[in-house]
């Protein structure tokens, strides 16, 4: 009996470790060929992207279909650098031509755009909001001073008072190189430093990036003080940017962007036409995906989707790649194609507080696994992404739910099945 148990554990370990975790990337048909520079998405609500020649596109189904988001108001000679959606219809975008840099805003879903801020010289690189009213805009220095504006009325007016930051030498910033949450803000430079404020721009401190001159990409996970930045090389911090060290990422070319989910469960980086993934903050970056054409320009995750949601990567030819990640994680048990779809009975059952769901997928496509209570109300969505054929397993923690009967339903293509389970506390 002991030998059989040991053999079972060895086989199980081989199954779980023989199939590396790769994201399920898909290509989105944007219908455009202009370079895209930025994308902003609010989970389960809206997605907007911007690019050269006044390009703005929008989607209300996580990128499956796209519409023109610049009906009027933004000239075609303006290259748009960064976009931020406050809601389905309220969006702000920065851009520049050969002379000026601009901030436009729409309140009607892109049917009309209004110019709210204009500056000669420099470039508005990125903006962020901590709520529907309070936002900050970061731009390249002009006349020896970094361009920093703030708003307290949803972007209808902007003020640079009290945000003075002196330019060091000839340094400048980068499009999209901004990370903010509450009063903490970081932005990157080409001068061996990242600037940080902990009081929403009232005062700034400089954080050295060591041997890496350019911090063109920037992402932070506040819960664990982890952050990634860099350009020629990837650099990492584990103390909120106070010190940085180099981390090896495969491939060649500059690191054009980095993003991740909460608690660094997954991180992604883009380099030329490749995407690399770092699962579970293991300090090991793996090849994940190659674009069918063009090079990547920016990568980000949905807001309000840090524990589960969509990741988008834009390209210089109008292409966008998308993947999903899950809060609880999904284990690939086998990539062999099953003979039939199947939803297995959860185990253990009854349970307190965790249980596991096993299921088989025959064809590549969208998969949903949803938990309902006894009244048929949706409790949690455990899987909502496209999966390749194979055998999978997902864990559910019901510690925040009461004892009772629950149901879980799997849907994939025309297949659907529902099973019953019980939480006992």
């Amino acid at each position: 009996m002991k030998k059989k148990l040991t053999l079972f554990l060895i086989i199980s370990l081989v199954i779980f470790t023989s199939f590396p975790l790769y994201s399920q990337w898909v290509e989105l048909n944007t219908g455009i060929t202009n370079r895209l520079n930025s994308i902003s998405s609010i989970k389960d609500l809206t997605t907007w992207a911007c690019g050269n020649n006044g390009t703005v596109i929008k989607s209300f189904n996580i990128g499956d279909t796209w519409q023109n988001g610049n009906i009027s108001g933004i000239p075609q000679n303006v290259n748009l650098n960064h976009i931020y959606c406050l809601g389905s219809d309220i969006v702000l975008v920065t851009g520049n031509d050969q002379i000026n840099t601009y901030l436009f805003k729409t309140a009607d879903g892109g049917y009309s755009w209004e110019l709210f801020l204009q500056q000669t010289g420099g470039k508005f690189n990125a903006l962020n909001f901590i709520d529907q009213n309070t936002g900050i805009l970061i731009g390249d220095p002009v006349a020896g001073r970094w361009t920093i504006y703030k708003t307290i009325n949803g972007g209808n007016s902007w003020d640079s008072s009290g945000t003075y930051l002196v330019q060091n030498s000839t340094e400048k910033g980068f499009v999209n190189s901004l990370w903010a949450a509450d009063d903490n803000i970081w932005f990157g430079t080409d001068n061996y430093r990242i600037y940080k404020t902990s009081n929403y721009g009232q005062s700034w401190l400089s954080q050295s990036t060591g041997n890496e001159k350019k911090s063109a990409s920037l992402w932070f996970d506040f819960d664990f003080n982890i952050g990634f930045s860099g350009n020629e090389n990837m650099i990492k911090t584990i103390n909120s940017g106070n010190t940085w060290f180099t981390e090896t990422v495969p491939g060649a070319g500059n690191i054009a962007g980095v993003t991740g989910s909460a608690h660094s469960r997954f991180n992604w980086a883009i380099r030329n036409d490749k995407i690399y993934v770092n699962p579970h903050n293991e300090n090991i970056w793996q090849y994940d995906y190659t674009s069918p054409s063009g090079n990547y320009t920016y990568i980000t995750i949905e807001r309000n989707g840090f524990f589960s949601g969509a990741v988008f990567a834009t390209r210089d030819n109008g292409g966008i790649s998308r993947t999903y990640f899950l809060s609880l994680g999904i284990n690939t048990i086998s990539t062999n194609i099953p003979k039939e779809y199947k939803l297995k009975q959860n185990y253990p059952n009854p349970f307190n507080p965790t249980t596991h769901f096993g299921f088989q997928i025959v064809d590549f496509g969208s998969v949903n696994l949803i938990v309902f209570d006894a009244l048929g109300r949706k409790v949690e969505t455990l899987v909502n992404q496209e999966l390749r054929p194979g055998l999978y397993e997902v864990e559910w923690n019901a510690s925040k739910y009461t004892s009772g009967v629950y149901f879980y339903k799997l849907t994939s293509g025309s297949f659907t099945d529902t099973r019953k389970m019980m939480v006992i506390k």
Side-chain angles (χ1 to χ4, degrees):
M1 181 63 183
K2 185 175 181 180
K3 291 183 178 179
K4 290 183 179 180
L5 178 60
T6 302
L7 180 62
F8 172 77
L9 292 175
I10 294 174
I11 294 174
S12 299
L13 181 61
V14 170
I15 290 175
F16 274 97
T17 57
S18 296
F19 300 96
L21 172 64
Y22 294 131
S23 310
Q24 310 288 330
W25 290 95
V26 297
E27 289 302 313
L28 307 179
N29 182 15
T30 63
I32 63 171
T33 57
N34 289 332
R35 175 189 173 98
L36 292 174
N37 297 312
S38 183
I39 190 167
S40 178
S41 183
I42 303 175
K43 182 174 172 61
D44 299 330
L45 183 61
T46 186
T47 304
W48 289 73
C50 72
N52 289 358
N53 304 318
T55 299
V56 181
I57 54 176
K58 61 181 180 179
S59 173
F60 298 106
N61 52 16
I62 325 178
D64 289 338
T65 58
W66 295 87
Q67 307 171 32
N68 180 15
N70 179 20
I71 305 301
S72 66
I74 302 178
Q76 290 188 354
N77 69 326
V78 175
N79 292 329
L80 300 175
N81 305 317
H82 183 87
I83 196 163
Y84 192 96
C85 55
L86 282 171
S88 297
D89 296 323
I90 304 175
V91 186
L92 297 95
V93 65
T94 68
N96 65 281
D97 54 23
Q98 298 299 317
I99 301 174
N100 299 314
T101 186
Y102 308 93
L103 174 68
F104 297 93
K105 179 182 177 182
T106 181
D108 58 10
Y111 287 96
S112 62
W113 290 84
E114 184 177 352
L115 177 62
F116 276 84
L117 197 59
Q118 178 177 330
Q119 176 179 279
T120 300
K123 179 189 290 186
F124 295 154
N125 290 320
L127 67 157
N128 187 275
F129 282 75
I130 60 174
D131 54 43
Q132 292 298 109
N133 295 310
T134 310
I136 192 165
L137 172 67
I138 304 291
D140 282 347
V142 174
R145 172 183 178 175
W146 279 92
T147 301
I148 304 173
Y149 285 92
K150 294 167 68 174
T151 180
I152 57 174
N153 57 10
N156 292 325
S157 62
W158 296 82
D159 187 6
S160 62
S161 301
T163 60
Y164 190 77
L165 177 60
V166 177
Q167 178 186 21
N168 184 287
S169 186
T170 60
E171 66 186 2
K172 62 181 184 298
F174 293 94
V175 171
N176 298 315
S177 185
L178 169 71
W179 185 259
D182 298 327
D183 290 337
N184 297 296
I185 301 170
W186 292 261
F187 71 86
T189 78
D190 64 350
N191 190 27
Y192 299 101
R193 65 185 61 200
I194 290 172
Y195 286 108
K196 177 188 178 182
T197 177
S198 298
N199 51 23
Y200 208 68
Q202 296 180 37
S203 60
W204 296 85
L205 60 86
S206 171
Q207 297 181 320
S208 172
T209 56
N211 294 325
E212 181 61 23
K213 181 178 182 180
K214 300 178 180 180
S215 42
S217 56
L218 197 59
W219 176 87
F220 275 90
D221 183 342
F222 297 104
D223 290 340
F224 290 98
N225 302 313
I226 296 170
F228 292 99
S229 186
N231 187 236
E232 294 183 6
N233 300 287
M234 178 74 80
I235 55 175
K236 179 179 180 179
T237 180
I238 57 175
N239 55 13
S240 299
N242 293 322
T243 56
W244 296 83
F245 57 89
T246 302
E247 188 157 285
T248 301
V249 178
N254 292 333
I255 305 293
V258 61
T259 193
S261 62
H263 307 310
S264 291
R265 184 170 178 83
F266 301 101
N267 295 109
W268 292 268
I270 51 175
R271 200 169 205 175
N272 287 343
D273 63 342
K274 302 288 193 299
I275 299 177
Y276 300 92
V277 65
N278 173 13
H280 309 296
N281 194 31
E282 294 176 349
N283 302 322
I284 300 175
W285 290 85
Q286 310 171 39
Y287 163 79
D288 200 27
Y289 183 71
T290 299
S291 75
S293 63
N295 290 325
Y296 288 105
T297 60
Y298 183 55
I299 186 168
T300 191
I301 64 175
E302 293 178 303
R303 296 207 314 277
N304 304 329
F306 293 117
F307 292 95
S308 63
V311 181
F312 299 92
T314 59
R315 298 201 299 277
D316 59 7
N317 61 356
I320 300 178
S321 306
R322 181 191 69 197
T323 192
Y324 291 98
F325 64 95
L326 298 172
S327 59
L328 299 175
I330 177 169
N331 292 318
T332 304
I333 308 302
S334 173
T335 56
N336 293 328
I337 301 177
K339 295 181 179 180
E340 61 180 353
Y341 286 94
K342 181 180 292 186
L343 176 63
K344 298 182 178 181
Q345 185 64 48
N346 66 301
Y347 69 93
N349 186 44
F351 65 95
N352 177 29
T354 59
T355 189
H356 296 81
F357 306 91
F359 58 93
Q360 298 175 182
I361 302 299
V362 176
D363 298 311
F364 175 82
S366 178
V367 178
N368 296 95
L369 181 60
I370 301 174
V371 177
F372 300 89
D373 64 16
L375 298 178
R377 297 172 298 193
K378 183 168 70 172
V379 171
E380 277 195 39
T381 299
L382 301 182
V383 179
N384 179 25
Q385 69 180 96
E386 292 177 320
L387 294 176
R388 295 186 176 94
L391 174 61
Y392 299 90
E393 184 177 78
V394 177
E395 182 183 79
W396 183 46
N397 188 319
S399 57
K400 63 181 179 180
Y401 300 106
T402 61
S403 299
V405 175
Y406 292 82
F407 298 87
Y408 57 103
K409 179 181 179 180
L410 177 71
T411 302
S412 179
S414 60
F415 174 82
T416 182
D417 192 14
T418 303
R419 289 181 176 269
K420 183 171 68 173
M421 59 184 171
M422 182 171 291
V423 177
I424 298 179
K425 296 185 177 181

